[in-house]
Amino acid sequence: MSLPITSFYVGVLALLFLALSFNVSLGRIKGQVSLGDGGDKGLMRRIRAQANAAEYLPLALIILALVEGSTAPPWVAHLFGSALVVGRLFHAYALTKRGAPLAFRQIGVLLTWGVLFFGGLGLIGHSLTVSGVTPQ
C-alpha cells in the first residue's frame, strides 16, 4: 500500500526532528556536556523539545497512516498532517526559545492532541463500521 500523504509528512517531520537533534548536539558542544543537561537550563529546554517530539510523533504518524489507508478523503489526512507539522513547530519554538509566548506552546499542544484525539476517534469509528459492529 502506497501512502504518499503520510510519506510527505513523515519526511517533513523527520527533518524537524533532525533539526531538534542537531540543536541538542550544539547545546552539548557549547556547554561541554556529554550526558544529561549538566544543569544548563537552555540545554534542558533543547533536550525536552527533542524528547517531546520523540514522544508524540510515532503515535501521531501511525494515526496519520491509518487515516490515509482508510476510507477517509485525502483532505482529512492532509488536515491531520498539516496540523501535526504546525503543532510540532509551534511547540518546538516555545520550548527552545527563552521568553517565547506561552500561546505557541498551547497551540502546539492543542494541535498535536487534536490529531491524536480526532484521529483516534475516527479510527475507532471506522474500525467498528468496517468490522460490522455498528450498522452502516
Side-chain angles (χ1 to χ4, degrees), residues 11-131:
V12 170
L13 290 163
L15 295 177
L16 172 61
F17 189 77
L18 186 59
L20 292 170
S21 299
F22 185 71
N23 197 32
V24 170
S25 294
L26 287 178
R28 289 189 187 286
I29 292 168
K30 179 181 172 187
Q32 298 180 353
V33 177
S34 67
L35 186 62
D37 61 27
D40 180 334
K41 290 188 183 217
L43 179 55
M44 179 190 67
R45 293 173 71 84
R46 293 174 188 216
I47 291 168
R48 281 307 310 146
Q50 180 206 31
N52 188 275
E55 293 160 1
Y56 281 97
L57 285 178
L59 182 57
L61 291 171
I62 290 169
I63 287 171
L64 179 60
L66 291 172
V67 166
E68 182 180 3
S70 74
T71 57
W75 67 264
V76 174
H78 280 296
L79 178 67
F80 286 166
S82 59
L84 191 58
V85 168
V86 171
R88 294 289 78 206
L89 284 170
F90 274 43
H91 196 269
Y93 174 76
L95 281 182
T96 57
K97 301 298 178 197
R98 175 182 271 183
L102 182 60
F104 279 93
R105 188 167 185 193
Q106 293 168 331
I107 292 168
V109 167
L110 287 174
L111 288 171
T112 301
W113 287 4
V115 170
L116 295 174
F117 181 77
F118 292 110
L121 281 180
L123 289 171
I124 290 168
H126 175 72
S127 176
L128 293 175
T129 300
V130 298
S131 68

